Amino acid sequence: MSRRACIPNDPASMKVISMYLLATVCSLCLIIFGVLYLYWGARAARLYRGILQQRTVDDYTPLATVILSLRGSDPFLVHCLDGLLNQDYPDYRVKIVVDHVSDPALGFVNQYLRTHPHTNCEVSLRHQQSTGCGLKNASLVQAIQSVSADVEVVAWLDADVVPHRHWLRDLVAPLQDAEVGIASGIRWYAPQSTNAGTLVRHAWNAAAVLQMLSMDVAWGGSIALSRSMFQDPLLTNTLSKMMWEDTGLKAIADQLNLKLVFAPAATMINAEAIAFDSSLRFITRQMVNARFYHAQFPFIAAIGFISALAQTILIVLGLLFLNQGQQLAAGLVAGVLAFAGGSVAFSIYRLGSRIEQLVQSRGGRFRRHPFKTLGYLWLMPYLFCACLIAAMRTRIINWRGVIYYVPAPFEVYINHYEPFQKPAPVSVRAELENVSI
């Protein structure tokens, strides 16, 4: 018998072979995806190992200035101020920069300080009228340039962060190493509400944190900079041209031969609820930020698109195998899908457990929704891909009433500005299809 006769050439056989080959390729992609998340999860868990035994008894408390940039009164602002102005830190100053004289945050802060006076808290208005960067960046640059010469550390936080009593100590601790220029906290959403938008943001962020810790993506909600970092003109010059400040810090540190490290003890919990459309815009903004300012965005995007495509193809092939009576092939496909999804879920659950222990050691607690989160994790590849596509097309960013046109990472234009006004209580649908976030 000739070799040609041994090769099946009928259409049915070729179709089966093609299905098996496609299933093999997609399975390999998802297995690599799962192994990658197990590796990231193990690294993240190691980062938290030993924190409970190393509670802040550190004597490294250099003179610090903490910056809080405000536009509008956040729901957690009073709690943010309570924590910020009552830190267990011997010598620190606070600079609060409010966007506009008519901003409701200004009256709120002034009223708060009349009731809770603080000798080292300075409130100022943003006076830089530059249209070449995001308003938060403008406020940060203004505050950094006014820091006194004796300050060793500059830190900042967002208004939705509620700092625990040791927050500044925990955040500053990594800067003891002269090679470290940036210490970043970690964001973790622990929703009390279980509506779709809140759980989508929680599920996305939980998976994203694993990537952020492995790829050195800083979080702007809690940042501390050493003197060698914040005094260098490269920092303020670069921030003055960027839409956001956090994701691009890694590149600035690399140019200054300084390291970016994470302070797991400064993991901050956010329990705020969010609507579904707002959660998609939030994720899209994060992806625009990464697209503009992080070197590994192509890798992040590739992981998102390939995993979603491979998962979809395997689901379809698994159903076809089952329909054809090929139980073994269908079982193998199901096993690969379970491994990929289970790897992500296990890594997130493991990290969430470590964070829960950390929060409990600080006297706090939060609710966890593992089963509901798992359900949204299966949808996240598709929602994430939708946000990735929107992020790649986005040029117009609408943030708290300010409309930015950002055609390139270091080309930021403010098309429309007005002082912050409390939004009207109406439902605003997402505008991802209009390439606006």
Side-chain angles (χ1 to χ4, degrees), residues 107-125:
F108 183 90
V109 170
N110 286 335
Q111 177 61 39
Y112 180 92
L113 291 176
R114 281 193 290 269
T115 310
H116 308 82
H118 194 282
T119 55
N120 288 322
C121 181
E122 169 193 329
V123 182
S124 62
L125 295 173

Side-chain angles (χ1 to χ4, degrees), residues 105-378:
L106 181 61
F108 183 90
V109 170
N110 286 335
Q111 177 61 39
Y112 180 92
L113 291 176
R114 281 193 290 269
T115 310
H116 308 82
H118 194 282
T119 55
N120 288 322
C121 181
E122 169 193 329
V123 182
S124 62
L125 295 173
R126 181 182 61 82
H127 58 69
Q128 294 198 6
Q129 300 303 318
S130 170
T131 60
C133 65
L135 294 184
K136 180 184 177 182
N137 281 24
S139 296
L140 291 175
V141 169
Q142 174 180 314
I144 290 172
Q145 291 177 338
S146 68
V147 167
S148 59
D150 55 344
V151 170
E152 296 288 334
V153 170
V154 164
W156 63 78
L157 75 167
D158 286 341
D160 60 351
V161 170
V162 181
H164 55 278
R165 187 159 171 76
H166 303 291
W167 167 78
L168 189 54
R169 282 181 179 264
D170 292 335
L171 187 61
V172 164
L175 299 180
Q176 293 179 81
D177 185 344
E179 295 183 353
V180 175
I182 305 171
S184 172
I186 297 167
R187 173 187 61 207
W188 189 262
Y189 288 101
Q192 300 298 313
S193 171
T194 57
N195 67 301
T198 303
L199 287 179
V200 163
R201 183 174 63 174
H202 165 63
W204 172 82
N205 180 76
V209 164
L210 300 175
Q211 293 185 358
M212 293 171 70
L213 295 176
S214 295
M215 300 182 196
D216 291 337
V217 182
W219 170 52
S222 288
I223 289 286
L225 307 181
S226 67
R227 177 196 284 268
S228 55
M229 184 78 185
F230 74 78
Q231 278 196 335
D232 197 292
L234 178 65
L235 175 72
T236 51
N237 290 342
T238 307
L239 292 183
S240 298
K241 302 173 185 176
M242 298 168 66
M243 179 65 202
W244 296 284
E245 90 289 1
D246 48 4
T247 303
L249 287 174
K250 167 63 174 172
I252 301 173
D254 287 344
Q255 293 182 63
L256 297 176
N257 295 315
L258 294 170
K259 296 179 182 177
L260 183 155
V261 301
F262 291 93
T267 298
M268 309 310 297
I269 305 302
N270 188 317
E272 188 176 3
I274 188 172
F276 181 72
D277 57 349
S278 297
S279 71
L280 295 183
R281 290 198 294 273
F282 168 81
I283 296 170
T284 302
R285 278 197 301 273
Q286 309 309 304
M287 291 299 99
V288 175
N289 193 352
R291 176 169 72 91
F292 280 163
Y293 303 118
H294 200 277
Q296 296 195 50
F297 174 75
F299 178 60
I300 296 171
I303 290 175
F305 286 130
I306 291 174
S307 61
L309 181 61
Q311 176 177 297
T312 303
I313 291 174
L314 281 184
I315 290 173
V316 172
L317 289 176
L319 293 174
L320 289 175
F321 286 142
L322 197 61
N323 184 58
Q324 294 171 1
Q326 301 184 54
Q327 285 85 359
L328 178 59
L332 290 174
V333 166
V336 170
L337 290 169
F339 170 76
S343 297
V344 179
F346 170 75
S347 299
I348 289 174
Y349 184 83
R350 185 183 184 187
L351 179 60
S353 298
R354 297 288 176 90
I355 292 175
E356 184 177 28
Q357 293 174 11
L358 172 65
V359 172
Q360 288 176 348
S361 75
R362 302 195 302 230
R365 59 186 307 140
F366 62 83
R367 293 177 61 192
R368 300 177 68 190
H369 310 281
F371 294 109
K372 290 183 179 180
T373 302
L374 181 62
Y376 283 98
L377 281 175
W378 284 99

Side-chain angles (χ1 to χ4, degrees), residues 38-87:
L38 288 174
Y39 170 69
W40 286 340
R43 286 192 60 178
R46 282 198 302 271
L47 190 64
Y48 282 85
R49 187 178 300 158
I51 289 181
L52 299 180
Q53 289 75 35
Q54 301 171 2
R55 288 312 306 152
T56 310
V57 294
D58 211 314
D59 291 330
Y60 183 70
T61 54
L63 180 59
T65 290
V66 182
I67 305 167
L68 177 61
S69 173
L70 297 178
R71 176 175 166 85
S73 294
D74 284 77
F76 293 98
L77 182 55
V78 64
H79 303 297
C80 176
L81 292 173
D82 285 340
L84 176 59
L85 299 177
N86 292 281
Q87 287 291 298

